[in-house]
Amino acid sequence: MYSLSLISALTALVLSTSLAHPLSARAPANSTTGRPNPTYTKEQLNQLKMAVSTVDRLSVLQSFGSVDDYFKFDFSTAANPNPVAGVGQGGQGDLAYVQNFPALMDLGVAMSMGFIKPCGMNTPHTHNRASEFLVIVKGGNVKASFVQESGLSTPITTTLSLYQGAILPVGSIHYEFNDNCEPAVFVASFSNEDPGLSRTAQNFFVEDPSIVDADLGIPHFLDGVNIANFQTKIPKAFALGAQECLKRCGITYNTTAH
């Protein structure tokens, strides 16, 4: 009788939890089955922000459902159909940060994985609030380069082999380029749970065309060019780069796939 009562109580608890938190009934977030990582409502995020202590915040997070949904993050490309760090002809970047993985709230860290195709490039960008430590976990011959600031504007460039890493300081303009005919994968840690991401070319050419023209020295080759239209041709994120690599690897650049 006691066992039956206990089983009934546990069954009721599981059913009530599943109804209140539908995500908890699904496969674990890190199962790499292709199920997207959970998303969070503004109300849920506000609940977490309003928590007075870490214990309160983690208790709120637990109340959302299964540990496999809310305390694990799946970095596989299939689990991130709309990756925060972008996707393009050259690959994809999957970022776990405070908005899509709020277990990181107030911990001061974030992490990403980049899946770079042959001759792919994570286009020049900055992280507004974090330094980055990047390590190659698949492939090799990956160029990593950054320009820090005025007064130190000479690019600092290194070539990374398997299991080698490089530091990319906060605010620096940097990129990663897979100068190889095989795919490469990197893992990158950040010193802020909300590192920020600003694509350099994309965010420059979105400015007033007359300002863009003037900042470039009013070059003659831009005479009559529709800057707004030109801006739409710039790849949004991971692009194919270096014509020499494309030729060496027999890859055709698709000018319409941005």
Side-chain angles (χ1 to χ4, degrees):
M1 179 66 72
Y2 177 78
S3 297
L4 288 174
S5 299
L6 180 60
I7 291 171
S8 297
L10 289 173
T11 302
L13 177 62
V14 170
L15 287 174
S16 64
T17 302
S18 297
L19 289 173
H21 309 289
L23 281 175
S24 65
R26 304 197 299 196
N30 70 335
S31 63
T32 65
T33 59
R35 178 179 70 79
N37 284 305
T39 56
Y40 299 84
T41 66
K42 187 175 181 180
E43 180 182 352
Q44 286 176 315
L45 293 174
N46 284 339
Q47 277 184 270
L48 293 168
K49 290 176 184 176
M50 293 295 290
V52 175
S53 68
T54 298
V55 170
D56 288 341
R57 184 166 56 255
L58 293 178
S59 296
V60 170
L61 196 57
Q62 279 184 307
S63 75
F64 291 163
S66 168
V67 168
D68 283 332
D69 279 314
Y70 296 101
F71 288 92
K72 293 183 180 181
F73 190 90
D74 187 345
F75 283 98
S76 67
T77 56
N80 296 279
N82 299 296
V84 175
V87 62
Q89 289 188 77
Q92 175 171 325
D94 299 339
L95 171 67
Y97 74 127
V98 69
Q99 185 163 333
N100 64 358
F101 191 41
L104 297 175
M105 194 172 290
D106 280 351
L107 297 185
V109 294
M111 182 165 282
S112 72
M113 288 193 71
F115 302 86
I116 315 180
K117 295 179 181 179
C119 299
M121 176 176 62
N122 187 10
T123 58
H125 59 280
T126 63
H127 299 296
N128 313 62
R129 293 171 290 278
S131 293
E132 175 180 358
F133 192 0
L134 179 144
V135 178
I136 303 302
V137 296
K138 179 180 178 180
N141 200 33
V142 176
K143 307 291 194 299
S145 180
F146 72 87
V147 173
Q148 183 58 39
E149 57 190 270
S150 298
L152 187 60
S153 56
T154 301
I156 296 176
T157 304
T158 187
T159 300
L160 301 176
S161 298
L162 185 64
Y163 306 135
Q164 293 182 337
I167 287 291
L168 304 166
V170 59
S172 65
I173 300 174
H174 59 273
Y175 68 84
E176 298 86 42
F177 167 48
N178 180 22
D179 193 9
N180 199 350
C181 299
E182 300 295 330
V185 178
F186 68 75
V187 173
S189 60
F190 298 94
S191 59
N192 189 304
E193 66 263 31
D194 185 19
L197 173 62
S198 178
R199 295 282 173 188
T200 307
Q202 293 83 343
N203 286 349
F204 174 66
F205 280 96
V206 78
E207 287 286 358
D208 184 315
S210 64
I211 298 300
V212 172
D213 199 23
D215 190 55
L216 294 175
I218 313 181
H220 65 85
F221 61 82
L222 282 180
D223 286 351
V225 172
N226 184 328
I227 297 294
N229 183 60
F230 175 74
Q231 190 268 339
T232 66
K233 309 298 183 184
I234 301 173
K236 292 181 173 60
F238 284 69
L240 290 176
Q243 293 288 339
E244 186 278 331
C245 183
L246 297 177
K247 183 178 179 180
R248 172 169 24 100
C249 299
I251 298 172
T252 302
Y253 189 93
N254 185 350
T255 58
T256 62
H258 297 324

